[in-house]
Amino acid sequence: MTAAADPLCEKLREAFPSAILEQSSFRGETTLRIKTESIRDICLHARDTLGFDYLVDVSSIDHFGDEPRYELVYELYSLRAGAHLRLKATVSEDTGTAPTVSDIWPTADWHEREVYDMMGIRFENHPDLRRILMWEGFPYHPLRKDFPLEGKHSETPGVAFSEPAPLAGGPFVTVPTDGTTQVREPRARHAGEIPPSDKFIAEP
Amino acid sequence: MASTLSPVAYDAKIEGNVIFTQVDAAINWMRSHSLWPMPMGLACCAIELMAASSSRFDISRFGAEVMRFSPRQADVMIVAGTVTYKMALAVKRIWDQMPEPKWCIAMGACASSGGMYRSYAVLQGIDHLIPVDVYVSGCPPRPEALLDGLMRLQKKIMGEHSLLEQKKELLETL
């Protein structure tokens, strides 16, 4: 994977020397941090010149308490070269907007709608920026860190409502361990009750 | 010969196939043995619902094999699976389209109470939205459990005052 993506990354850095802020590699996956205003230029170049013809996913991260608060993650893949590339761009809480790539890869249409629905990041010039998982009129963005897991009360008269779910001391969490099912099983746990786990992720 | 508790009676002295009964009992008997389900299959419970309607468990033994995907032809809605808030809008809409009299079976933990999904996205029990007659426990329930729920619903229907309910408006005006 690394071998396939590296020469393409090199070309991308040559084409955009100032817009690419940082390159990192983790377990054979290459990540580029890019400037938010250059998303469209870099994506167009990646698709047309470098052959990244497949946008695997668009997702978002909430770094609650930090500034800029949000981070967009684009997973690109070149079917011909078998190369995978990850692009990351930050979005500040004040603007909360990012340029759309739905005209570059049509699949981004629904991915961006999901990001908008769950995180509240608006995409400029998106053709159809409606909610996709929650109903139209739901007032919150549930994947934000300041939104509780159990949800909040909301009411759209005549359309829908939502109530907080009873968590009963939860949330229910499982533990990463190779212990028995009784140890692992999802239940309400507090921080101290989670057994230590050395064997969580085996190094490759 | 029916038992003394039964609303149905057969008199051997009268020749031919004559049965004495009450209108309520006859209506209820017909209703309870031809329950056409609206299969609201939303998650894994729907797989067990399919199994219940297939040959091994054979829901048609209880007269409920006519799964109608049009709510206008259905009597009982079997809510089988996790009801998310977004899907709840559709479930309610379909329920409103079903003609009276209608019943509802909440099949499985999710439809009954939200189940393990204690989350902002999931309605914590379909009874927040529509009236439920029978709750079937299990995650998912085995087909036998659903059939038991269906039999309990039949029992419940047998106790209803169906004629009175039907003529309620007329009686109120009198």
Side-chain angles (χ1 to χ4, degrees), chain A residues 2 25-29 198-204:
Chain A
T2 323
S25 183
F26 180 70
R27 294 190 180 175
E29 294 177 356
D198 325 323
K199 297 171 183 170
F200 180 21
I201 300 174
E203 281 297 319

Side-chain angles (χ1 to χ4, degrees), chain A residues 132-135 142 149 151 159-161 163 165-167, chain B residues 85-86 89 116-124 128-129:
Chain A
I132 191 167
L133 295 172
M134 307 305 282
W135 66 95
L149 172 66
V159 181
F161 66 93
E163 289 296 337
L167 276 190
Chain B
Y85 275 114
K86 184 144 187 173
L89 304 178
M116 63 175 184
Y117 297 103
R118 300 283 181 230
S119 149
Y120 63 89
V122 176
L123 184 67
Q124 301 296 308
H128 283 84
L129 213 57

